[in-house]
Amino acid sequence: MLGLLFLAVHLLLAALSPLVVPYDPVAFAGGAAFAPPSAAHLFGTDNLGRDVFTRTLLGGRVALLITLAGIGLAVAWGGLLGMVLGLVGGWLDEALMRLVDAMLAIPETIFLLLIAGIVGTDHVVLILALGFLYGVGVIRIARTATLTLVAQDFVLAARARGEHQHTIVLRELLPNVLDMLLVEGALRWSWMLLAFSALSFLGFGVAPPTPDWGVMIAQNRSTFGIAPWATLFPSAAIGSLIIGINLFVGVLAKAIGLDRVDGITV
């Protein structure tokens, strides 16, 4: 319930924050720079006098939008391909799984920085890059789950009836691996949020002055000794969202009978 509460609060704030924030998130007020938390500015102000409370509330909107679209794409294509490989097997399965192993060996941040440096940081580009990167890991999970099902009677019966491969995937396999894919997707969503925040921190995600937690931390970390609130509050927002997702994933995994998700005991 705690994880669900954290997650619900962040999603509600992302949806409703433009209606309730007290200040313009990009308005400069140099004279009020580094103001400490007060009744006028609940989280204080940053190095340019912008209200940290306003920017923190709005900071998760773009991150949530991009990562939700990205994780949906990752689960869709990665889960489908993993089920197909597990069902078909043979040389195609072996060849593609070796490619998956090679992709998983590439550090995530380096891959994303390479894509951002070559193609750019457009929102569509980021969604496609994140969806591809995290979908590679979903392939392995979906394939492993499928291998435990292909020898079951209902799959053998479907094959004996002469059903097409895509029919078997959609009617026989997908309903039996969907729960695992949802849990896996939720877990990878938290990793994707961290990766996206790291990109923004490094200057390859959301472009200033758009409010974003990673950008806020990057812009104010050098003045942490003077105004720690400008860095602590966006950091706490990222942390609470990640903790909320992981708590929720753990309970969800146990509810459907999974003891481990992607090698992590829950």
Side-chain angles (χ1 to χ4, degrees):
M1 291 301 297
L2 182 61
L4 184 60
L5 176 63
F6 282 175
L7 187 55
V9 167
H10 276 283
L11 291 174
L12 284 175
L13 287 177
L16 302 178
S17 55
L19 304 177
V20 300
V21 291
Y23 297 98
D24 183 344
V26 299
F28 298 112
F34 302 129
S38 63
H41 300 283
L42 294 179
F43 290 177
T45 61
D46 63 9
N47 58 330
L48 297 175
R50 297 171 297 190
D51 183 63
V52 176
F53 178 73
T54 296
R55 290 178 62 79
T56 301
L57 290 187
L58 294 172
R61 285 175 59 82
V62 176
L64 286 171
L65 174 64
I66 290 177
T67 56
L68 279 172
I71 201 59
L73 177 62
V75 171
W77 86 267
L80 180 61
L81 182 55
M83 286 186 288
V84 170
L85 293 179
L87 178 64
V88 174
W91 67 267
L92 180 62
D93 176 43
E94 289 295 327
L96 289 183
M97 288 310 298
R98 299 296 75 75
L99 182 60
V100 166
D101 291 339
M103 285 296 303
L104 291 175
I106 301 175
E108 297 173 357
T109 304
I110 292 178
F111 174 84
L112 292 173
L113 288 175
L114 180 63
I115 296 298
I118 295 175
V119 185
T121 58
D122 181 80
H123 288 180
V124 175
V125 172
L126 290 173
I127 291 172
L128 293 176
L130 289 167
F132 172 77
L133 176 63
Y134 286 89
V136 172
V138 177
I139 294 174
R140 179 183 292 278
I141 299 300
R143 175 182 176 271
T144 301
T146 300
L147 290 176
T148 65
L149 297 173
V150 292
Q152 299 293 321
D153 291 342
F154 63 92
V155 177
L156 296 176
R159 282 177 160 173
R161 292 193 302 267
E163 294 187 4
H164 294 292
Q165 302 281 29
H166 68 272
T167 303
I168 296 176
V169 168
L170 296 178
R171 291 185 179 179
E172 310 295 345
L173 298 178
L174 180 59
N176 288 283
V177 302
L178 184 58
D179 289 346
M180 181 178 292
L181 289 178
L182 292 177
V183 173
E184 182 69 20
L187 180 63
R188 291 182 183 275
W189 181 29
S190 66
W191 301 347
M192 189 181 289
L193 280 164
L194 284 175
F196 179 79
S197 297
L199 278 182
S200 296
F201 178 83
L202 295 172
F204 289 90
V206 176
T210 303
D212 177 82
W213 295 328
V215 172
M216 293 172 66
I217 295 170
Q219 290 180 335
N220 295 285
R221 71 186 191 281
S222 61
T223 59
F224 184 83
I226 302 174
W229 49 84
T231 302
L232 289 176
F233 285 113
S235 300
I238 296 174
S240 63
L241 178 55
I242 300 301
I243 290 172
I245 293 173
N246 283 301
L247 287 175
F248 179 68
V249 167
V251 174
L252 179 62
K254 290 182 179 180
I256 65 175
L258 295 179
D259 293 326
R260 297 174 70 82
V261 180
D262 200 18
I264 300 174
T265 301
V266 296

